[in-house]
Amino acid sequence: MNLLRDINPVTRILGLALLTTPLMFTIDWVSATCVLAFTLLMVPVCGMGYGRYFKRALPILLIAPLAGIPMALYGQAGGDTYLEWGLVHVTELSVSLAWAVILRVLAIALPVVLLSADVDPTDLGDGLAQVLHLPERFVIGTVAALRMLTLLRDDLDAMRRSRRARGIADQGKIKYWFSLSFGLLVMSLRRAGKLATAMEARGFGGPRKRSWARESTLHSRDWAVMAVCLAVALVALALAWATGYLRPVWAVR
């Protein structure tokens, strides 16, 4: 089951904005927890297993706790004091704010992992140009870049095999990865130059208004997805307000 299969890629972007933007105006654990719970419940419904989802989200899960450290050490003081040393003042309030910041980072970033999975670059380009009416040259360049990203892994594997065949794969780790990175950069620049020349020859940079092979529009299911995303965000804020945990960002020093 995959509810996002027939959804316009632009709907994913707009739905993500509607779901996460309200969270940027408050620092509390209630609203962030509601959005996180909704995201985790939607993982199997959106056609992604939990194993694959958490594998894609692993960098975020590792980095998110770092966002709460400054708030815990230097955030707004209040309640019992746990540690005080110079400018460091860890209190009950600062720890709770740090926990809220970590949850908010996860609530904003983890939906991106879910909604950005399995997006076809061509469909995304059609939606950006025809629905959001972004500049055509920017859209075509973005689609071409996304297509080329899939070749980086193949290039890296080919370079590693060629170095192993020449017997230079056993050099120092830093030197080895530096040489791989430099070689990958050179190959990417060469491919980008050839691609730019080919696109220019085919008239992609012409001044005339271009046509599109496939029509991209928003249907009722797209509006339904965006409505659900906005409703979840509003319900999360309402629960935070009803429980007394709603804390606007401008109220935090």
Side-chain angles (χ1 to χ4, degrees):
M1 182 178 182
N2 188 355
L3 294 180
L4 298 180
R5 179 176 301 169
D6 299 324
I7 295 298
N8 194 305
V10 172
T11 303
R12 301 185 184 217
I13 300 175
L14 298 178
L16 182 65
L18 293 173
L19 179 64
T20 60
T21 300
L23 297 179
M24 298 181 182
F25 298 97
T26 178
I27 301 179
D28 66 87
W29 66 270
V30 176
S31 60
T33 302
C34 291
V35 174
L36 277 175
F38 172 75
T39 302
L40 294 178
L41 288 175
M42 293 302 294
V43 169
V45 179
C46 294
M48 181 184 294
Y50 283 107
R52 181 189 174 201
Y53 177 75
F54 284 113
K55 184 178 180 180
R56 289 170 55 92
L58 184 60
I60 298 174
L61 297 176
L62 295 177
I63 295 175
L66 300 178
I69 295 178
M71 183 63 72
L73 297 179
Y74 311 108
Q76 185 176 358
D80 297 335
T81 299
Y82 301 132
L83 174 65
E84 186 173 1
W85 182 66
L87 297 177
V88 177
H89 194 190
V90 182
T91 64
E92 182 180 3
L93 179 58
S94 66
V95 171
S96 65
L97 289 175
W99 176 241
V101 167
I102 295 173
L103 288 177
R104 186 177 68 157
V105 171
L106 293 175
I108 293 175
L110 290 184
V112 178
V113 178
L114 179 62
L115 293 177
S116 63
D118 302 324
V119 176
D120 184 79
T122 303
D123 293 337
L124 178 61
D126 291 337
L128 293 176
Q130 299 180 52
V131 178
L132 297 183
H133 301 289
L134 295 182
E136 298 171 354
R137 182 176 295 222
F138 167 78
V139 171
I140 295 174
T142 302
V143 172
L146 291 176
R147 288 294 187 188
M148 291 298 103
L149 282 177
T150 59
L151 300 178
L152 287 179
R153 180 182 234 173
D154 297 336
D155 291 340
L156 182 60
D157 291 338
M159 292 176 60
R160 295 177 67 177
R161 288 194 299 268
S162 65
R163 278 165 169 73
R164 189 178 297 112
R166 293 197 299 260
I168 58 176
D170 296 329
Q171 56 186 341
K173 291 291 184 180
I174 297 179
K175 184 178 180 180
Y176 174 69
W177 285 106
F178 178 79
S179 63
L180 278 181
S181 301
F182 183 76
L184 190 63
L185 175 62
V186 172
M187 293 180 65
S188 300
L189 292 176
R190 289 176 178 174
R191 180 176 287 113
K194 293 179 181 178
L195 179 62
T197 303
M199 293 177 66
E200 191 72 21
R202 288 170 172 79
F204 282 97
R208 297 183 180 180
K209 185 175 180 60
R210 63 173 291 111
S211 59
W212 301 93
R214 296 179 297 184
E215 183 181 6
S216 180
T217 57
L218 297 181
H219 302 283
S220 57
R221 57 180 177 271
D222 297 293
W223 295 106
V225 170
M226 289 186 283
V228 169
C229 292
L230 179 60
V232 170
L234 295 179
V235 169
L237 294 179
L239 287 176
W241 176 79
T243 55
Y245 286 98
L246 186 67
R247 184 183 295 271
V249 292
W250 52 84
V252 179
R253 294 184 286 113

